Amino acid sequence: MKLIDGKTVAEKIHEQTHASVQMLAKRGHRPGLAVILVGDNPASRTYVRKKAEQCAKLGFHSVKLELPENTSQGELLAHVATFNQDPEIHGILVQSPLPTHINEAKIVHAISPEKDVDGFHPINVAKLALEDPSGFIPCTPLGCRCLLLEYGVPISGANVVVLGRSMIVGKSLALLLMQRGSGGDATVTVAHSRTLHLETITRAADIVITAIGSPHFLQAKHVRDGAVVIDVGINRVEDASQKNGYRLVGDVDFENVAPKCSLITPVPGGVGPMTIAMLLSNTIKACCQIHGVQVLHST
Ligand code: GUN
């Protein structure tokens, strides 16, 4: 069993992104990312802080807008409209989940598709399904594919089982891995909470990817010997021995599953760091497309 080191791969991507920032600077452009956080969900706060820190490190223009929990939908839409018009901003991310009084779909629709670096806008979802390379692909699926490619895992023709059918991860990942060409051509099965005979399905997989948000869900009985397991879950479980009272675990019963795998991602340190790397990479792509310039590196 070998661990997939997401932190190291993410660092490599950040270096490429940094080189792209420098190339853009020579042409008078600076990629800009706006991140909007509504309310004070502690996990979201951490993610948003990490995104802003990495932006600063790589020389991005970065705006972090923190709004109170009682922000109205209209107010949030007005902020999105302002960033849509702002020539210094190329990427806009509204951190999910939003408070329940806000219709998340309405907000996503309001983001200009050219600046939708999350890839959640219907135009970008359609472009992913249509294999139009000008679209933005959600960051977590991109991060998963990047890890598989970096570790030389054959994707073409492989049996991939994705657990979870969210738009952010499961469904997008299925579309991504079945695209034609490099990094695609997989035979993808999407399993979910209503799937019957899950064990039979996952045991036939060369690659199992879990994105369900359920600690210890995937067990040793679910995977065949030599499988590759990618754990997208980030779950907080109570742990009095930790100074903040919790620890992070994935969707995989790591202790029992890992010995059976050829490759497996840890949590933390697997997919998590890749998501930010792909976000900044998508922002470079947005900046290039908006200004009609090309740099070597892109997602
Ligand atoms: N919340 C958890 N993951 C994500 C993500 O990739 N994008 C946004 N906007 N919110 C999230």
Side-chain angles (χ1 to χ4, degrees):
M1 184 276 290
K2 200 171 141 194
L3 272 187
I4 293 180
D5 180 357
K7 243 175 127 172
T8 300
V9 179
E11 275 309 317
K12 186 174 149 185
I13 305 290
H14 286 315
E15 280 167 27
Q16 292 168 358
T17 300
H18 186 58
S20 297
V21 172
Q22 289 172 321
M23 285 168 75
L24 282 165
K26 283 193 188 132
R27 298 175 204 196
H29 303 298
R30 187 179 187 206
L33 177 67
V35 178
I36 306 176
L37 173 67
V38 185
D40 45 23
N41 177 310
S44 292
R45 211 165 254 293
T46 308
Y47 297 144
V48 168
R49 179 175 45 80
K50 284 187 177 168
K51 287 165 189 167
E53 281 171 5
Q54 197 60 44
C55 276
K57 251 191 185 167
L58 298 183
F60 279 58
H61 169 58
S62 144
V63 178
K64 186 168 80 171
L65 182 59
E66 298 190 40
L67 301 169
E69 179 82 20
N70 62 3
T71 301
S72 74
Q73 182 166 298
E75 285 166 329
L76 182 54
L77 285 169
H79 286 293
V80 169
T82 305
F83 285 131
N84 280 342
Q85 296 298 323
D86 187 340
E88 293 192 347
I89 295 297
H90 307 97
I92 302 168
L93 180 146
V94 180
Q95 186 68 29
S96 174
L98 286 170
T100 48
H101 65 275
I102 295 177
N103 179 335
E104 206 152 329
K106 273 236 163 73
I107 305 302
V108 169
H109 279 239
I111 297 171
S112 163
E114 290 77 29
K115 298 189 177 187
D116 170 39
V117 286
D118 256 331
F120 296 168
H121 191 285
I123 292 271
N124 286 314
V125 176
K127 285 185 173 182
L128 172 59
L130 294 166
E131 307 190 21
D132 176 340
S134 72
F136 292 99
I137 298 169
C139 304
T140 304
L142 277 181
C144 293
R145 181 182 64 171
C146 185
L147 288 176
L148 293 171
L149 289 169
E150 280 290 323
Y151 278 81
V153 177
I155 301 174
S156 177
N159 277 326
V160 179
V161 172
V162 178
L163 273 172
R165 54 179 156 178
S166 72
M167 228 26 253
I168 297 191
V169 189
K171 219 180 278 181
S172 308
L173 189 52
L175 286 170
L176 184 63
L177 297 179
M178 68 171 143
Q179 281 195 338
R180 291 160 180 84
S182 169
D185 291 329
T187 303
V188 184
T189 305
V190 180
H192 47 78
S193 52
R194 298 284 180 271
T195 296
L196 300 175
H197 314 298
L198 180 67
E199 196 178 318
T200 313
I201 295 169
T202 52
R203 285 189 75 90
D206 304 302
I207 304 169
V208 181
I209 307 178
T210 59
I212 44 178
S214 178
H216 301 292
F217 181 88
L218 193 84
Q219 293 169 6
K221 66 177 184 190
H222 290 114
V223 297
R224 68 157 177 80
D225 282 327
V228 175
V229 172
I230 307 285
D231 190 351
V232 177
I234 301 178
N235 308 294
R236 289 185 173 202
V237 297
E238 276 185 38
D239 185 343
S241 72
Q242 303 290 312
K243 64 175 185 300
N244 43 16
Y246 70 88
R247 75 193 149 88
L248 295 179
V249 299
D251 294 337
V252 176
D253 176 7
F254 186 88
E255 200 185 332
N256 294 311
V257 172
K260 294 183 80 176
C261 299
S262 58
L263 281 167
I264 185 168
T265 57
V267 176
V271 176
M274 294 300 295
T275 300
I276 295 182
M278 295 299 127
L279 173 68
L280 301 194
S281 183
N282 269 351
T283 307
I284 295 282
K285 176 174 171 176
C287 181
C288 289
Q289 290 188 165
I290 287 169
H291 294 297
V293 297
Q294 268 191 322
V295 292
L296 288 176
H297 151 252
S298 105
T299 36

